[in-house]
């Protein structure tokens, strides 16, 4: 069983783990579901891989998410989120994704249909507001259609990176390195 001094490399596998603590972790073509990760040094993920976390995780060194890697969190629990603290740099290579689309909750106290995040609700349903306006950290609730299941609320992401956060973009061969935006000329 790997421990806090282990340098772990896993390829071509599906792994479900509690909250492993290792010295370093390298994954390639792996589906990893973990409650949390505690990596003392570097964490690298390559190949067609998915890393799904549930609770706060820490990497003391650097993180590299290679092309075709997805970092996400589990659904079904309001406490699930990507909460990753990285001591060094973090690189999200072109083609990699930090994706929490559809990972929010669709009901429960403060998270019901017509709830409002960090502010007032216009609904006459009496739904409560939830979350912080100044430090948003909760999952989305899906709005009016949450109760019917037609809404897919977003999840929650918190990245604290001690070094440089580098997000690489591949514009494709036809872009000539230029970006076309429908809102060009307006403030972001």
């Amino acid at each position: 069983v790997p421990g806090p001094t282990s340098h772990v490399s896993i390829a071509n596998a599906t792994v479900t783990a509690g909250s492993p603590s290792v010295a370093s972790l390298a994954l390639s073509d792996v589906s990893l579901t973990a409650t949390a990760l505690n990596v003392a040094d570097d964490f690298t993920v390559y190949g067609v891989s998915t890393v799904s976390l549930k609770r706060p995780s820490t990497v003391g060194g650097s993180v590299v998410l290679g092309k075709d890697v997805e970092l996400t969190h589990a659904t079904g629990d309001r406490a699930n989120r990507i909460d990753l603290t990285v001591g060094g740099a973090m690189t999200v290579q072109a083609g990699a994704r930090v994706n929490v689309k559809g990972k929010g909750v669709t009901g429960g106290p403060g998270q019901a249909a017509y709830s409002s995040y960090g502010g007032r609700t216009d609904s006459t349903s009496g739904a409560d507001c939830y979350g912080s306006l100044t430090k948003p950290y909760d999952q989305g609730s899906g709005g009016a259609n949450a109760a019917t299941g037609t809404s897919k609320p977003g999840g929650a992401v918190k990245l604290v990176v001690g070094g440089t956060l580098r997000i690489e973009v591949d514009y494709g061969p036809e872009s000539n390195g230029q970006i076309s935006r429908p809102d060009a000329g307006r403030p972001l």
Side-chain angles (χ1 to χ4, degrees):
V1 175
T5 60
S6 301
H7 298 276
V8 178
S9 181
I10 303 172
N12 302 310
T14 298
V15 179
T16 301
S19 298
S21 293
V22 296
S24 65
L25 182 58
L27 306 176
S28 179
D29 295 310
V30 169
S31 176
L32 171 66
T33 301
T35 301
L37 287 178
N38 296 296
V39 181
D41 197 12
D42 295 336
F43 177 44
T44 57
V45 190
Y46 291 101
V48 179
S49 297
T50 300
V51 176
S52 180
L53 303 174
K54 296 179 181 179
R55 301 294 187 267
S57 298
T58 303
V59 176
S62 296
V63 171
V64 176
L65 302 179
K67 177 184 173 204
D68 297 323
V69 170
E70 179 175 85
L71 176 62
T72 189
H73 69 70
T75 60
D77 185 339
R78 182 178 166 163
N80 291 343
R81 65 195 71 243
I82 296 172
D83 183 341
L84 182 60
T85 300
V86 180
M90 180 171 178
T91 301
V92 180
Q93 293 182 348
R97 298 162 307 286
V98 178
N99 182 9
V100 294
K101 182 178 179 180
K103 300 289 186 170
V105 294
T106 55
Q111 298 267 316
Y114 300 104
S115 291
S116 178
Y117 190 95
R120 297 179 59 174
T121 179
D122 288 336
S123 170
T124 58
S125 70
D128 292 330
C129 296
Y130 69 99
S132 168
L133 182 63
T134 58
K135 293 183 181 179
Y137 188 56
D138 288 306
Q139 299 174 8
S141 63
N145 293 323
T148 65
T150 59
S151 165
K152 302 292 185 199
V157 177
K158 178 183 176 186
L159 298 175
V160 177
V161 180
T164 300
L165 173 59
R166 180 183 171 109
I167 300 175
E168 299 175 354
V169 178
D170 181 1
Y171 299 111
E174 298 172 7
S175 70
N176 295 322
Q178 297 182 14
I179 301 173
S180 175
R181 293 189 349 233
D183 63 340
R186 294 195 305 246
L188 295 176

